[in-house]
Amino acid sequence: MSTGHRFSGFILKHPALISSLLVAGLVVGVRQAGGLQPWELLTYDEMLRLRPAQDPDPRLLVVTVTEQDIQEQQRWPLSDQVIARLLERLQQYRPRTIGLGIYRDISHPPGQSDLLKQLQAPNLIAIRLLGDAAKDGVPAPPGMAPDRVGFSDIVLDPDAVVRRNFLFATSEGKRFYSFSLRLSLHYLADQHLTVTPIAQKALQIGERVFPTLDSHAGGYQTLDDRGYQIMLNYRSGKAAARQVTLGDVLHGRIDPAWVKDKLVLIGTTAPSVKDLFVTPFSLSDDKNPEMGGVLVHAQKVSQILGILLDGQSVIWYWPQPIEIAWIWIWALLGGILGWRLRHPAWLGLSVAIGGISLFGICLGIFLLQAGWISFVAPMSAFIGSSIAILAYRLLYNALHDELTGLPNRTLFINQVQWAINRGRQLNLLKQKQLGCAPSWAVLSLGLDSFKAINDSFGPHRADELLIAIAKRLKSGLKSGDHLARVGGDEFAILLPQIRDIDEVAHLADYLQKQIKQPFVLQGQEVFTSTSVGIVLNELDRYLQPEDVLRDAQTAMNQAKASGKARYQVFMPGMRVQVMTRLQLETDLRRAIERQEFQLHYQPVVSLLTGKIAGFEALLRWQNPQRGFVHPMEFISVAEETDLIIPIGQWVIEEACRQMQIWQHRFPQLAPLVVSVNLSSKQFAQANLVEQIEQTLRQTGLNGHNLKLEITESIAMTDVETTIALLMRLKALDLQLSIDDFGTGYSSLSYLHRFPTDTIKVDRSFVSRMGSEDKDSHIVQTVIMLGHNLGMDIVAEGVETTEQLAQLRTLKCEYGQGYLFSKPLPSEAIEQLLTMDPQW
Ligand code: C2E
Ligand code: CA
Ligand code: CA
């Protein structure tokens, strides 16, 4: 399994590499089987046609027997006499070599003796056909010395096109020269060139080596590579040399200079003789008719002379391994393009550009270097690989979250299904063997304050945060564990193999700690936390993966409801609780209009004078069915549902209204300050400042008598925005206070920039003050810090006289807690104010 995982991980990381290997393998397979050969040959022809044509070879003259000549002579084959007369005529002009490309093995009287005499000329080369004379071979004319005969066989490709120059062959120790090679050697007789075959691989003529074709040469795959063959490098699509007709010669209509010291080829081009060949030029072009055999021979002779005399190149090709590497490189290129370019139009455009470039490279090498590089195979690999990647990516996108790249809900459900099935199978096996049940677990992780972050930072940075969270979660997991993003701010983890619940709890704990560490987004620190729901597979309870995920989410919501940043293992009873929560939400919605809310006030006492300095307004909900609902229970629900906004607005209005009444009723008391708690949602509200300003105006309360409490974590989520907003609030002459100080992750470097008046030391520190030394030091440190920053300190949760005494020694300005008073309804506070107590 771990190797399987490593493998799939490898594929995910290198999809372009994998697809290129697969596609290249496929293309090479098809190519090897010959499937691409026809297309490669067509491309070759195209490149040949794109090459600029050369002038006719000045060393050659072709005497053709045309249809008109045959009509003039009124017979075919021509009589020996006519041929003899032709040869005689030509010899008068002193050609260096004459090639008689017409079979003369049997006589066609009259004139046999004249012809035999002409055939004795030492500069005359005749033809024969290879093979057994008794069967398909055709012998040379009688009395010809073997070194004045060449075979006239022309090799054809499977599509009957002439692309190769068959130079030479050996059989049973005998050597066979082609007509064109014989002619060339005779023409260059004064150079005394020797022909040396080198193990079917090359033919050495004098100093020049002609590497010969093998069965995989260039675009060929199944070439009959017997003998010594090279690609026929056509001089041009038309004639390779000057052409005259039999009639021209017989009637003296030629310039002797055309013949003198030239290599003269004689043969027929008359269509009725059917000695015609398809060339790459005639293939797709009506203006280029099929080529007479003698003209093909002229092309071949011209090529051989060009190589031997002009230093022309023999068309070369790459060995197999390099061709395969070439194909793979293009497959890889296609794969990379397919992976990188997200838009199909861009991909199409780049594939087109890539294809044109590839053809350009092949054509360039062919024209400039005379190399034949395969085009169709790399092109197919290029397109194939980019399409394969595109298909893979479409599939991948369907199963993955675009933002984080993690598996999405669909894929995760599949993975859980797989774990369920595997768990069941293993249990069947193991119960027989060991009796112990291996198990899996699913964790659902919900971010606690994501909506607030989204509201205050904007969706763009919230996305960045999600990516960072995904990374952090991933780094906390083992290689076999599956992490997925199953909702906007929800992740899920499948642990396919766990030992016990402790292992899972440990992991949940670890991941929560990881997420609690600040994230740095564009230079700013952001804090968040996560609640985790856990489903353990016990007794193979689950059949449907959807049920697993639902239960994990239920447990996660439960964890959220019971105070966030914790984990909760799912228990079947929880589903009922979910229903309860839903009911709570519904009731909460009605609570405002039904006026079920009430404010209680808890005195804040000046430790210097011992007198009441103000109150903290605390929300109470009295529901006819539920009775008293504790704020801990409903505030988080109100925040999640945004109901906190209208509720919070009501709290501010009510507190201001009440405060203004008390100010009037107790003018003898020092000005009182009412503190109101502000939730993160309200803090992110666009019109918060305007709203408070309006409330102050309507109630007539002085801004200085209202204090807003924001918790440390809200203040630190987005420091710059917080500071800007706090400044605007300060402009209303409000007081500001940091609540629950010490429980979040305040960055001390920012603290001095907050225009806050007060720090509230969290109850947890105060309550442990008397007993543990460490905590009293913390309180002391916070008090000193606050004083240094010019802020007052309120100690929360003062319950004992010892705590009070200690706080007084530490010069803490204010105290709040049960020692002085519990939060009380307004009537009770009024009685208290009348008494004007002193502690
Ligand atoms: P908080 O802002 O930390 O409020 C102080 C809480 O500590 C109050 O609980 C108060 O009753 C309790 N408390 C005060 N003195 C003592 C003490 O000596 N010992 C102990 N053990 N507890 C003490 P309460 O009223 O239940 O409020 C709980 C939380 O609910 C508040 O914590 C605040 O975060 C939230 N809350 C209450 N009213 C509002 C409101 O109007 N708006 C918002 N956004 N949140 C509110
Ligand atoms: Ca508070
Ligand atoms: Ca507090």
Side-chain angles (χ1 to χ4, degrees):
M1 169 159 150
S2 85
T3 50
H5 262 285
R6 234 173 287 147
F7 180 65
S8 63
F10 184 75
I11 287 192
L12 289 181
K13 274 187 209 125
H14 309 278
L17 182 67
I18 301 298
S19 99
S20 73
L21 286 173
L22 290 176
V23 171
L26 186 72
V27 168
V28 168
V30 173
R31 170 178 172 272
Q32 228 72 347
L36 302 180
Q37 179 172 306
W39 313 103
E40 294 282 15
L41 293 179
L42 289 181
T43 321
Y44 175 82
D45 294 346
E46 189 56 45
M47 296 197 297
L48 204 61
R49 286 192 293 265
L50 285 172
R51 204 182 48 181
Q54 285 174 272
D55 291 336
D57 193 330
R59 294 168 290 228
L60 306 186
L61 178 72
V62 179
V63 179
T64 59
V65 180
T66 60
E67 208 65 64
Q68 206 188 340
D69 290 322
I70 292 173
Q71 275 166 20
E72 200 176 306
Q73 298 301 327
Q74 297 188 338
R75 62 175 289 181
W76 182 261
L78 300 175
S79 72
D80 289 350
Q81 194 164 31
V82 173
I83 304 285
R85 256 174 43 217
L86 170 68
L87 291 172
E88 193 188 345
R89 262 294 166 90
L90 288 170
Q91 293 288 19
Q92 283 171 7
Y93 302 135
R94 312 194 121 335
R96 199 188 295 184
T97 309
I98 295 181
L100 182 59
I102 298 173
Y103 300 113
R104 280 292 139 184
D105 55 325
I106 34 173
S107 61
H108 298 285
Q112 191 185 7
S113 60
D114 288 349
L115 181 59
L116 278 176
K117 202 176 120 213
Q118 285 299 329
L119 290 178
Q120 294 313 308
N123 66 344
L124 189 124
I125 309 287
I127 55 167
R128 56 162 296 186
L129 270 186
L130 282 180
D132 199 341
K135 277 193 265 158
D136 47 355
V138 178
M144 293 291 293
D147 65 344
R148 288 202 291 114
V149 178
F151 62 80
S152 63
D153 304 57
I154 290 173
V155 284
L156 301 181
D157 279 344
D159 53 359
V161 175
V162 181
R163 295 188 184 88
R164 288 170 280 150
N165 189 345
F166 186 11
L167 292 174
F168 181 83
T170 55
S171 170
E172 295 162 3
K174 279 196 262 177
R175 300 165 138 228
F176 299 92
Y177 291 75
S178 70
F179 185 45
S180 49
L181 181 57
R182 271 281 186 237
L183 286 170
S184 306
L185 289 174
H186 185 273
Y187 182 76
L188 301 173
D190 51 351
Q191 295 193 15
H192 304 291
L193 301 174
T194 53
V195 175
T196 322
I198 307 171
Q200 300 290 327
K201 293 237 180 303
L203 191 68
Q204 188 174 350
I205 303 175
E207 297 293 306
R208 257 327 267 270
V209 174
F210 293 59
T212 56
L213 297 174
D214 64 34
S215 61
H216 292 285
Y220 286 114
Q221 285 315 315
T222 51
L223 184 67
D224 179 0
D225 61 350
R226 282 177 298 173
Y228 292 81
Q229 312 176 26
I230 59 174
M231 294 307 292
L232 173 49
N233 202 351
Y234 283 85
R235 193 172 177 94
S236 77
K238 306 216 170 65
R242 183 195 302 281
Q243 285 182 54
V244 294
T245 65
L246 172 71
D248 291 340
V249 179
L250 291 182
H251 300 116
R253 287 195 300 254
I254 60 166
D255 183 345
W258 296 350
V259 180
K260 185 161 183 345
D261 217 23
K262 307 281 181 200
L263 194 160
V264 181
L265 286 113
I266 302 165
T268 173
T269 56
S272 64
V273 181
K274 297 199 171 69
D275 185 27
L276 292 178
F277 294 90
V278 182
T279 70
F281 300 92
S282 59
L283 201 57
S284 65
D285 188 354
D286 295 337
K287 274 177 264 161
N288 277 295
E290 296 181 359
M291 212 174 253
V294 67
L295 295 177
V296 175
H297 289 302
Q299 295 276 5
K300 292 164 121 190
V301 173
S302 177
Q303 181 186 13
I304 296 169
L305 293 181
I307 293 170
L308 290 174
L309 293 178
D310 311 337
Q312 275 179 14
S313 330
V314 181
I315 291 177
W316 52 265
Y317 50 90
W318 274 334
Q320 279 287 87
I322 297 185
E323 282 258 316
I324 291 172
W326 172 244
I327 292 168
W328 173 70
I329 285 171
W330 281 90
L332 186 63
L333 221 66
I336 291 172
L337 281 183
W339 188 246
R340 284 287 157 83
L341 299 177
R342 306 259 138 191
H343 200 281
W346 282 121
L347 182 61
L349 186 68
S350 336
V351 166
I353 292 174
I356 292 169
S357 316
L358 173 58
F359 187 72
I361 293 170
C362 292
L363 187 65
I365 291 177
F366 184 71
L367 295 185
L368 302 173
Q369 300 292 321
W372 181 17
I373 305 304
S374 128
F375 165 78
V376 176
M379 189 65 204
S380 331
F382 180 62
I383 296 175
S385 179
S386 61
I387 290 176
I389 280 282
L390 190 70
Y392 169 77
R393 228 179 50 207
L394 289 179
L395 187 70
Y396 184 92
N397 286 352
L399 296 176
H400 288 80
D401 164 43
E402 207 182 334
L403 180 68
T404 58
L406 292 177
N408 62 13
R409 193 190 163 90
T410 316
L411 182 53
F412 188 74
I413 291 280
N414 275 325
Q415 288 165 336
V416 174
Q417 180 73 67
W418 175 83
I420 292 174
N421 296 345
R422 183 171 159 279
R424 284 174 173 269
Q425 285 165 6
L426 280 185
N427 273 358
L428 284 178
L429 283 176
K430 291 235 172 158
Q431 270 161 11
K432 284 182 201 149
Q433 292 166 7
L434 303 166
C436 87
S439 218
W440 48 260
V442 166
L443 280 69
S444 167
L445 296 90
L447 299 180
D448 291 328
S449 50
F450 188 70
K451 270 192 123 181
I453 293 172
N454 208 15
D455 291 343
S456 55
F457 278 87
H460 190 69
R461 281 211 220 159
D463 282 355
E464 272 179 52
L465 178 67
L466 285 173
I467 294 171
I469 288 173
K471 243 190 215 160
R472 232 179 245 186
L473 289 176
K474 212 170 186 177
S475 67
L477 297 177
K478 292 197 301 268
S479 72
D481 303 342
H482 301 278
L483 173 66
R485 182 172 172 220
V486 294
D489 59 350
E490 247 179 87
F491 295 88
I493 297 170
L494 166 66
L495 307 174
Q497 213 147 25
I498 55 161
R499 257 173 288 119
D500 48 26
I501 165 79
D502 283 350
E503 187 189 340
V504 185
H506 193 262
L507 178 69
D509 216 40
Y510 173 76
L511 293 177
Q512 280 175 328
K513 281 196 183 120
Q514 290 297 305
I515 299 304
K516 261 197 164 176
Q517 301 294 318
F519 289 87
V520 178
L521 292 186
Q522 297 180 357
Q524 276 193 53
E525 287 190 327
V526 179
F527 295 88
T528 184
S529 61
T530 165
S531 301
V532 182
I534 300 174
V535 166
L536 292 164
N537 175 41
E538 288 158 325
L539 309 170
D540 288 332
R541 197 150 31 107
Y542 290 100
L543 278 173
Q544 299 299 327
E546 288 85 358
D547 294 347
V548 179
L549 204 55
R550 186 202 56 214
D551 285 353
Q553 280 163 338
T554 301
M556 185 264 284
N557 283 330
Q558 185 76 24
K560 261 193 185 175
S562 51
K564 301 182 174 176
R566 61 185 70 196
Y567 67 78
Q568 178 75 57
V569 179
F570 177 80
M571 281 167 300
M574 277 183 190
R575 264 180 231 140
V576 185
Q577 291 179 18
V578 173
M579 282 303 297
T580 328
R581 209 201 94 120
L582 217 67
Q583 188 59 48
L584 184 76
E585 203 180 306
T586 321
D587 290 351
L588 204 51
R589 281 182 197 283
R590 297 190 192 127
I592 307 179
E593 58 206 61
R594 294 189 184 173
Q595 300 184 338
E596 293 169 4
F597 289 120
Q598 219 189 330
L599 282 187
H600 282 195
Y601 299 88
Q602 185 176 35
V604 177
V605 175
S606 162
L607 300 189
L608 192 69
T609 63
K611 297 260 184 173
I612 293 175
F615 306 95
E616 176 173 4
L618 293 158
L619 188 58
R620 298 292 178 257
W621 179 21
Q622 201 69 38
N623 179 273
Q625 280 89 44
R626 294 169 182 273
F628 175 77
V629 189
H630 195 270
M632 282 299 203
E633 255 180 88
F634 70 84
I635 296 272
S636 58
V637 179
E639 280 178 342
E640 280 164 39
T641 52
D642 282 355
L643 282 169
I644 195 69
I645 300 216
I647 295 175
Q649 190 176 348
W650 177 83
V651 172
I652 295 173
E653 283 165 15
E654 176 62 16
C656 290
R657 193 188 60 81
Q658 182 64 70
M659 206 56 198
Q660 184 63 358
I661 292 172
W662 287 339
Q663 294 282 4
H664 273 285
R665 204 163 290 173
F666 304 97
Q668 74 282 11
L669 300 176
L672 298 168
V673 175
V674 68
S675 299
V676 173
N677 293 288
L678 217 59
S679 125
S680 63
K681 276 282 165 54
Q682 290 171 275
F683 204 66
Q685 211 183 317
N687 61 347
L688 179 70
V689 180
E690 290 75 16
Q691 200 180 49
I692 292 177
E693 193 178 6
Q694 194 187 350
T695 307
L696 288 176
R697 222 182 311 120
Q698 279 171 358
T699 57
L701 188 74
N702 189 331
H704 204 70
N705 295 88
L706 177 63
K707 189 183 267 192
L708 298 180
E709 294 192 2
I710 55 167
T711 61
E712 212 184 346
S713 43
I714 303 174
M716 290 297 163
T717 337
D718 179 358
V719 176
E720 299 304 328
T721 317
T722 302
I723 292 175
L725 184 57
L726 292 182
M727 289 296 188
R728 290 177 61 206
L729 290 170
K730 279 308 290 183
L732 298 180
D733 199 27
L734 299 184
Q735 297 198 54
L736 300 171
S737 159
I738 298 184
D739 204 356
D740 300 344
F741 192 84
T743 56
Y745 292 85
S746 270
S747 178
L748 292 181
S749 55
Y750 293 129
L751 203 55
H752 76 280
R753 293 182 54 203
F754 287 136
T756 38
D757 309 85
T758 309
I759 288 177
K760 292 188 90 173
V761 186
D762 190 64
R763 192 170 70 225
S764 56
F765 300 110
V766 177
S767 68
R768 281 175 291 175
M769 218 167 57
S771 52
E772 287 166 60
D773 246 13
K774 232 167 100 194
D775 285 297
S776 73
H777 281 311
I778 289 180
V779 175
Q780 189 180 356
T781 312
V782 174
I783 292 173
M784 278 165 59
L785 174 78
H787 286 168
N788 281 336
L789 295 171
M791 300 190 206
D792 300 334
I793 312 295
V794 179
E796 289 186 304
V798 183
E799 291 182 343
T800 65
T801 41
E802 291 82 32
Q803 288 165 353
L804 174 60
Q806 232 175 325
L807 288 165
R808 277 191 160 133
T809 4
L810 292 175
K811 302 250 177 322
C812 177
E813 281 83 3
Y814 302 100
Q816 178 185 350
Y818 293 170
L819 176 66
F820 310 111
S821 164
K822 290 202 165 190
L824 298 170
S826 51
E827 307 83 55
I829 291 291
E830 251 163 65
Q831 290 178 11
L832 202 63
L833 285 174
T834 319
M835 285 156 46
D836 188 17
Q838 183 169 21
W839 285 277

